[in-house]
Amino acid sequence: MELSEHLFRREAGRLVASLTRIFGVHNLLLAEDVVQDAFCRALEVWKVRGVPDNPSAWLMAVAKHRALDVVRRERTARTFAPELARVLESEWSLASAIDEAFTSSVIRDEQLRMMFSCCHPRLPEDAQIALVLNTLCGFGASEISRAFLTSRAAMEKRIARGKKVLANAQRLFDLSDAEFGARLSAVQRALYLLFNEGYHSGSAESTVREELCDEAIRLTMLLLDAPLTAQPDTYALAALMFLHAARLPTRLDADGDLNPLLEQDRSRWDGWLVEEGLNLLDRSARGTVVSAYHLEAAIAAAHATAHGIETTNWREIVHLYDRLMDVAPSPVVALNRAIAIGQADGPGPGLEALRSIADADRLRHYPFYPAALGELEFRRGQFDAAREQFASAATLARNPAERRFLERRWRECRVP
Amino acid sequence: MSQFLYLYRMTAAARQEAMGTPERAQQSMQRWMKWMSDLEAKGHLKDRGQPLERTGKVVREQQAVTDGPYTEAKDLVGGYTIVEARDIDQAVELSYGCPILAGGGSVEVRPVMKMDF
């Protein structure tokens, strides 16, 4: 029997969720110790006896057994989950309470509660994401720090601070809480940012990036699995992720350099993901609210279903960006809108839209602002102006992949 | 061919390092499985052996029984395997690939005594 990929990481999130149900969130570290212990046993036993037929069930059995031990040994000295205080006290109900915590519906619900708890309003967004990656996805601080280009020590601190907030909350977020709506938005936003981090950052190794996208999708699907969290905008968020993920194989070229949309080989886009993304987008069309996720997913769908740059419905895309500017205005959205105008109406109007971005000042460190100016100058034959823009874009590059890409565009700026 | 016992010894710190995160646990696991299956494929694996619990009892004269080995002991025996090799040099060489070494642990290689008197 082979080990399936990321088995331990996946199981870590599920086991921690169940154990937290029993021990209470204030004993999160204890839950993590029990999981670690189960992994140690697995390593010792499996290496001589081989991987069992059902490794997840094996790990779960060990974790249950340890949980039973811990509760029996420490129930007088420690308080466990307040919701379960009475059933854990009595030998009559202890074992069945622990069994119940490991049933698949409870594992799902506890993961959801954990996700909601991680997105606590007292935590900044980057801490929320780090906490989600640590407690639900089984990533260690060093692994997360590599993806986010921070030091391991800083990431450990960030996670520890987050866990303190979790512990102080006494219990995991209850999905029937009055704050549910606001917290669901925070969860969606954290998953959106997690996906973006994986999709856009040219910095981390590509395997790490794909894992971040995979995890964002997995957790979003978990939201869709429960009626309460499967809201129209959650469907839209999932659609958006699927449609972007379909293009992941072509985002980098063979040398690992950024590959702009214009040059991507569309035959290598993942057809299954496009189709699933479109299905999800269909299912998101309920209710009366058109969220930013709906609009971004619709834009991604317009790209994913076009056969090429020329046959892309740029007019429709400009229209969607106009609406996105109403719902969630930002300089980056305005930049993308201007690029779409450049495609729909030509470089002149595109440049004009770029130059009239309201708070373009906030883009002054963003390399793709001068790069967009450069592309449009290039297209209207102003090669010197284009060169200048690409040169200044290259000085703003945030990682080697961006720099190589922008320098290449700079070199290409001569009369064809 | 002669038989040799591999005793796997590991410090608590090395275990912690090897198992630090789920992803590292998975990598350790994969390295162990690969090493074992290589031994098996080349016909060196006589007995996969057994893992050992971390604690037990130590018995001395006059039934003086204590808990042990002590958890603070530097190298705890975590398990054993029996391999077949030409001689101790080959048995030692085969152990070089053992993943426990990378984590700061050790493999004690002991010839099984031959009773050919």
Side-chain angles (χ1 to χ4, degrees):
Chain A
M1 176 90 192
E2 286 288 301
L3 265 190
S4 64
E5 218 185 347
H6 309 308
L7 170 83
F8 284 67
R9 207 161 59 58
R10 292 279 153 79
E11 292 304 324
R14 292 156 46 88
L15 294 173
V16 164
S18 286
L19 289 164
T20 307
R21 162 108 191 122
I22 300 164
F23 297 157
V25 68
H26 55 290
N27 289 315
L28 182 58
L29 296 180
L30 177 65
E32 289 173 344
D33 282 348
V34 168
V35 172
Q36 162 105 347
D37 195 67
F39 289 170
C40 279
R41 285 197 90 76
L43 184 63
E44 281 157 11
V45 175
W46 299 1
K47 71 189 178 198
V48 293
R49 297 192 188 149
V51 179
D53 287 338
N54 189 341
S56 305
W58 195 102
L59 288 168
M60 192 186 285
V62 173
K64 270 187 195 176
H65 194 79
R66 283 284 295 142
L68 205 59
D69 264 3
V70 167
V71 173
R72 279 193 182 130
R73 208 177 50 227
E74 302 191 24
R75 66 184 151 197
T76 48
R78 226 190 241 266
T79 56
F80 293 108
E83 298 98 320
L84 297 185
R86 289 214 8 250
V87 289
L88 295 183
E89 251 169 47
S90 159
E91 278 299 312
W92 290 103
S93 46
L94 170 61
S96 62
I98 288 180
D99 276 336
E100 204 236 332
F102 285 90
T103 53
S104 59
S105 62
V106 175
I107 293 177
R108 183 200 65 195
D109 292 348
E110 292 305 301
Q111 283 180 284
L112 287 176
R113 293 179 66 196
M114 182 68 89
M115 217 188 305
F116 274 69
S117 300
C118 289
C119 296
H120 196 284
R122 274 194 32 216
L123 290 171
E125 277 169 345
D126 54 359
Q128 295 175 5
I129 297 168
L131 209 51
V132 165
L133 286 171
N134 181 249
T135 58
L136 284 140
C137 311
F139 283 108
S142 58
E143 291 146 8
I144 304 173
S145 68
R146 248 181 295 144
F148 288 84
L149 292 181
T150 46
S151 71
R152 177 177 169 166
M155 188 52 75
E156 274 167 354
K157 223 162 148 191
R158 192 182 293 175
I159 291 171
R161 255 201 318 264
K163 285 187 174 161
K164 206 179 248 171
V165 169
L166 278 185
N168 286 341
Q170 293 298 327
R171 54 179 73 200
L172 288 180
F173 188 83
D174 192 339
L175 266 49
S176 62
D177 194 285
E179 293 292 305
F180 172 77
R183 198 62 79 86
L184 177 60
S185 300
V187 169
Q188 291 166 337
R189 168 100 186 140
L191 297 182
Y192 173 80
L193 293 174
L194 173 58
F195 184 87
N196 273 352
E197 185 61 37
Y199 193 75
H200 289 293
S201 121
S203 49
E205 305 139 51
S206 70
T207 50
V208 177
R209 293 206 325 269
E210 273 170 38
E211 281 175 30
L212 295 186
C213 291
D214 285 351
E215 288 301 326
I217 289 178
R218 185 178 70 86
L219 295 175
T220 307
M221 296 316 277
L222 209 58
L223 292 178
L224 289 184
D225 201 30
L228 212 52
T229 45
Q231 305 271 351
D233 51 353
T234 313
Y235 276 102
L237 176 62
L240 165 64
M241 290 179 183
F242 273 65
L243 292 166
H244 275 105
R247 281 151 45 187
L248 259 180
T250 57
R251 259 187 62 78
L252 299 180
D253 65 15
D255 300 324
D257 285 355
L258 285 182
N259 201 13
L261 180 64
L262 303 177
E263 293 169 25
Q264 289 175 12
D265 173 4
R266 289 171 187 241
S267 67
R268 286 177 51 220
W269 288 358
D270 189 322
W272 182 84
L273 283 173
V274 171
E275 206 160 301
E276 282 303 299
L278 295 173
N279 281 336
L280 288 162
L281 187 57
D282 272 348
R283 300 188 64 182
S284 76
R286 284 185 288 132
T288 49
V289 179
V290 177
S291 67
Y293 304 127
H294 282 97
L295 294 166
E296 284 195 47
I299 292 166
H303 286 302
T305 51
H307 295 294
I309 289 297
E310 302 75 27
T311 52
T312 300
N313 189 346
W314 291 104
R315 179 71 43 218
E316 167 71 8
I317 291 174
V318 170
H319 171 66
L320 290 166
Y321 273 120
D322 285 341
R323 294 180 65 193
L324 191 53
M325 281 300 285
D326 289 337
V327 178
S330 86
V332 174
V333 172
L335 171 63
N336 285 314
R337 176 180 168 274
I339 292 170
I341 290 174
Q343 292 292 340
D345 303 326
L351 280 167
E352 202 175 307
L354 276 177
R355 295 206 171 99
S356 57
I357 291 177
D359 35 7
D361 189 43
R362 280 171 57 200
L363 293 173
R364 68 176 181 276
H365 297 299
Y366 188 58
F368 291 99
Y369 181 61
L373 288 167
E375 293 295 346
L376 292 171
E377 293 289 9
F378 181 82
R379 278 184 39 211
R380 62 174 195 170
Q382 302 292 320
F383 299 117
D384 287 340
R387 261 177 98 84
E388 217 171 281
Q389 295 294 350
F390 283 119
S392 67
T395 64
L396 297 174
R398 294 159 299 181
N399 56 61
E402 283 182 2
R403 185 166 314 111
R404 284 195 302 273
F405 167 70
L406 293 165
E407 285 172 354
R408 192 194 79 192
R409 292 300 291 136
W410 176 79
R411 281 195 302 276
E412 286 165 351
C413 287
R414 52 179 72 97
V415 187
Chain B
M1 289 297 237
S2 306
Q3 293 186 5
F4 297 86
L5 176 73
Y6 283 175
L7 282 175
Y8 304 117
R9 292 177 178 276
M10 201 175 200
T11 63
R15 185 203 307 274
Q16 179 64 33
E17 186 54 31
M19 303 296 296
T21 69
E23 205 68 347
R24 254 187 287 159
Q26 177 122 6
Q27 287 160 5
S28 300
M29 189 73 224
Q30 272 156 346
R31 279 197 288 269
W32 270 98
M33 285 166 55
K34 172 148 192 343
W35 182 64
M36 280 275 184
S37 67
D38 282 355
L39 282 179
E40 191 163 34
K42 291 179 191 144
H44 291 295
L45 199 61
K46 173 70 181 167
D47 179 350
R48 290 179 160 267
Q50 295 291 347
L52 299 178
E53 292 288 354
R54 273 164 244 166
T55 54
K57 300 282 183 191
V58 177
V59 182
R60 292 191 178 82
E61 200 179 17
Q62 291 172 350
Q63 298 182 2
V65 180
T66 52
D67 288 340
Y70 307 102
T71 39
E72 66 269 24
K74 248 174 71 91
D75 288 322
L76 286 178
V77 176
Y80 71 91
T81 298
I82 295 174
V83 298
E84 280 187 319
R86 237 177 10 250
D87 49 29
I88 189 142
D89 291 341
Q90 191 189 23
V92 165
E93 203 178 302
L94 290 170
S95 76
Y96 288 162
C98 180
I100 206 165
L101 304 176
S106 62
V107 180
E108 184 175 326
V109 184
R110 302 282 298 272
V112 174
M113 197 183 282
K114 281 186 180 171
M115 297 303 209
D116 47 356
F117 43 83

